[in-house]
Amino acid sequence: MNKKVVLAFSGGLDTSYCAKYLSEILGYDVYAVTVNTGGFSKEEEKELEKRALNLGVKEYRCVDAQEDYYNSCVKYLIFGNVLKNNTYPLSVSAERTIQAQEIAKCAIEIGADAIAHGSTGAGNDQVRFDLIFQVMCPNVEIITPIRDMSLSREEEIEFLKNYGYEKEFQKAQYSVNKGLWGTSVGGKETLTSRNYLPEEAFPSQIKEDQPSELEIEFKNGEVVAVNGENFEYSVYAIQKIEELASAYGIGRDIHVGDTIVGIKGRVGFEAAAASVIIKAHHLLEKHTLSKYQQMMKSQLSDWYGNWLHEALFLDPVMRNIESFLIDSQKTVSGKVFVTLHPYRFILNGIESEHDLMSDKFGSYGEANRAWTGEDVKGYTKIVSNSLNIYHQINGEKI
C-alpha cells in the first residue's frame, strides 16, 4: 500500500503541481482537502473536486468551516475591534490558521503519513501551516515541494503537461483570496511602496451611488439582525452586511505590515462587512463599557491580533484573552445606525438599554445631578497634590 498524504488544495497552479508531484514522483496516495472559510460557492466547490480528481488524487473533500471559523476566531476579532496596524481586519491571517487546523484534523482522521501545502518560502502562510501541523500532528511529515525546490511557474506548467494535465493556467494580473472576513488583493502595485491598486483590481465593483441606511443589532457583542431581519447564525448576518456594503466599494485599503519572516509587505484588501461591523461594534462599546474596560480591552485585543498574525493561535494565552473578551461583552447589546455612501460610511449613533450616556445623571453640557461644584474643587485638590509636590521640588529642573 502507498503512503498517504493530505494536501491542502486550492486548485491553483501550485497545489495542482503538488497533487501530481506527490503521486507521480513520491508515490503517495493523495487526499486533497479544500477548506471553505467563506470563499467558495457550491459551483466552485464542484469545479475544485473535478479538477482534483482529474489530477489523479485518491480522494477529494471540501470541508465547510465557516461556522467554526466564526465561532473560534472571527467573533473574537469583532469583540476586540481588531485591526492590524489600525488598518487590516486580519482576513487571511485568521483564515489560514483555521484552514491549517482542518487540514491537520483530516490527516489525523485518515492516519496520514505526510501532510503537504503549496506555500512558497517568501510569505507568512508557510509559517502558519507548518506551525499548526507541528503542534496538532507532530509525527506527520510536512512536504512543501514549491518551497523546497524554488520552482518557477513555467517549470510547474511544463511538469503538469508532461503528465497529461493540459489545463490553461493563466497568470492573473491580480491574486485574489476571498473569505468570510474579507478578500485580499495582490498585484504589481502592492510590490511597491508608492502605488495604490486601481479600481478594476477589486472584486466588488461599485453598484450603488445613492446613500442608504443600515441598522445593525448586536447581542452580547455578536451581530444578530440587519435592517430588522433576524439571523440564526452571525455568519449569515455578516454575509448580508457584506452584500449591502460591498456594493458601495466600502472597506478597501492597503495594509503595510511586518511579515513573520522579518520583511515589510503590502497587501490590498476589500473587507466591507468587517470594516462596518468593527467600527459599529466599537461605537456601541464606547456607550456601554466603562473607561477602564475599554482601555484594558484595547491592549489585550492588540496582543490577540498580533499573536494571531504571528501564527500563535494555539498558544493558551489566546484562550485566556478570549475568556476576557467574552466577559466584556455582557452589556454590548443594542442597535447601531449607519449610512452607506460610495467608498465610505457614517456611524450616526446607537440605541441600547445599557447606554451609559444617560440623562438620569445630568444634562450634558449644562448641569449634573451627582455632585456639586464644591465637590469638584475638593477632588482637584487631592488629585493635584502629588503633581504640586513634584513640580515644587523640581522647579526649573524639568
Side-chain angles (χ1 to χ4, degrees):
M1 293 179 63
N2 293 335
K3 290 183 177 181
K4 301 175 183 177
V5 59
V6 170
L7 169 65
F9 186 76
S10 69
L13 175 59
D14 291 337
T15 56
S16 295
Y17 174 90
C18 289
K20 269 297 180 189
Y21 177 82
L22 290 166
S23 61
E24 297 291 347
I25 303 302
L26 299 187
Y28 281 94
D29 284 339
V30 179
Y31 294 75
V33 179
T34 301
V35 182
N36 185 5
T37 49
F40 302 110
S41 66
K42 291 297 182 184
E43 292 72 22
E44 288 169 328
E45 287 179 14
K46 290 178 181 178
E47 179 58 32
L48 283 170
E49 179 177 19
K50 180 180 177 182
R51 192 175 304 173
L53 294 175
N54 285 341
L55 284 162
V57 305
K58 184 176 181 63
E59 181 181 305
Y60 172 83
R61 68 176 71 174
C62 182
V63 179
D64 188 344
Q66 293 179 84
E67 279 296 318
D68 286 342
Y69 178 34
Y70 171 80
N71 287 320
S72 65
C73 190
V74 169
K75 76 176 181 181
Y76 298 110
L77 298 178
I78 297 172
F79 292 172
N81 310 308
V82 176
L83 291 172
K84 178 72 172 171
N85 289 1
N86 297 313
T87 303
Y88 180 47
L90 292 176
S91 309
V92 175
S93 313
E95 270 191 3
R96 291 294 181 263
T97 296
I98 302 306
Q99 289 167 344
Q101 290 182 80
E102 293 296 335
I103 297 295
K105 289 176 187 176
C106 290
I108 294 168
E109 178 189 332
I110 71 168
D113 302 282
I115 195 165
H117 61 85
S119 299
T120 69
N124 292 320
D125 287 347
Q126 58 177 325
V127 180
R128 293 176 182 135
F129 279 117
D130 281 13
L131 195 148
I132 294 292
F133 297 159
Q134 288 173 6
V135 172
M136 291 186 64
C137 39
N139 297 318
V140 175
E141 181 185 3
I142 300 172
I143 304 174
T144 55
I146 311 302
R147 176 175 63 183
D148 294 345
M149 294 186 286
S150 300
L151 294 167
S152 70
R153 182 180 183 83
E154 291 69 26
E155 287 174 317
E156 294 177 49
I157 292 173
E158 186 62 28
F159 174 85
L160 288 169
K161 285 182 177 179
N162 288 339
Y163 281 93
Y165 192 74
E166 294 289 342
K167 184 180 184 303
E168 185 67 32
F169 287 100
Q170 295 181 347
K171 186 173 184 180
Q173 188 175 0
Y174 295 97
S175 61
V176 176
N177 184 91
K178 183 180 180 182
L180 175 69
W181 205 229
T183 300
S184 68
V185 182
K188 61 182 184 298
E189 293 85 0
T190 58
L191 300 177
T192 74
S193 298
R194 168 66 179 84
N195 298 315
Y196 193 72
L197 289 164
E199 182 77 18
E200 61 269 18
F202 294 98
S204 296
Q205 297 297 294
I206 302 293
K207 300 175 184 175
E208 302 286 349
D209 59 7
Q210 296 302 309
S212 65
E213 302 304 311
L214 173 64
E215 177 190 296
I216 304 174
E217 184 174 352
F218 293 87
K219 182 177 181 181
N220 302 129
E222 298 189 68
V223 181
V224 295
V226 180
N227 290 340
E229 180 183 358
N230 295 314
F231 291 88
E232 183 178 2
Y233 301 108
S234 290
V235 166
Y236 301 147
I238 292 170
Q239 291 170 338
K240 182 64 176 181
I241 295 171
E242 179 69 27
E243 175 190 337
L244 296 172
S246 64
Y248 287 90
I250 287 170
R252 298 174 175 183
D253 207 340
I254 291 183
H255 166 58
V256 182
D258 298 285
T259 66
I260 303 171
V261 293
I263 59 175
K264 294 284 185 183
R266 292 176 91 215
V267 63
F269 65 90
E270 179 181 82
S275 299
V276 173
I277 290 169
I278 286 174
K279 291 299 183 182
H281 177 268
H282 193 199
L283 176 62
L284 185 59
E285 284 194 329
K286 291 177 184 178
H287 282 266
T288 58
L289 296 185
S290 74
K291 173 171 66 175
Y292 296 114
Q293 279 180 303
Q294 292 178 73
M295 290 173 64
M296 187 56 68
K297 270 189 78 266
S298 178
Q299 295 176 54
L300 289 177
S301 298
D302 278 347
W303 280 110
Y304 188 86
N306 284 330
W307 283 327
L308 175 62
H309 177 268
E310 300 290 321
L312 297 175
F313 182 77
L314 294 183
D315 191 290
V317 73
M318 298 290 275
R319 311 292 83 78
N320 302 143
I321 296 175
E322 289 166 358
S323 295
F324 175 91
L325 291 174
I326 290 172
D327 190 71
S328 74
Q329 300 300 292
K330 289 179 179 178
T331 61
V332 186
S333 297
K335 297 177 180 178
V336 182
F337 304 97
V338 184
T339 303
L340 304 177
H341 294 268
Y343 303 110
R344 65 187 179 93
F345 60 94
I346 299 171
L347 300 176
N348 298 308
I350 69 108
E351 285 181 359
S352 173
E353 63 178 314
H354 301 288
D355 189 357
L356 300 177
M357 187 174 171
S358 172
D359 59 9
K360 294 179 182 179
F361 306 101
S363 300
Y364 282 89
E366 297 178 10
N368 64 76
R369 297 174 186 146
W371 63 86
T372 68
E374 291 302 313
D375 292 331
V376 176
K377 292 178 184 179
Y379 171 76
T380 54
K381 279 188 177 181
I382 297 298
V383 172
S384 66
N385 188 47
S386 63
L387 290 174
N388 278 328
I389 293 171
Y390 178 85
H391 285 284
Q392 288 178 34
I393 288 177
N394 291 288
E396 296 182 356
K397 299 175 185 177
I398 58 173

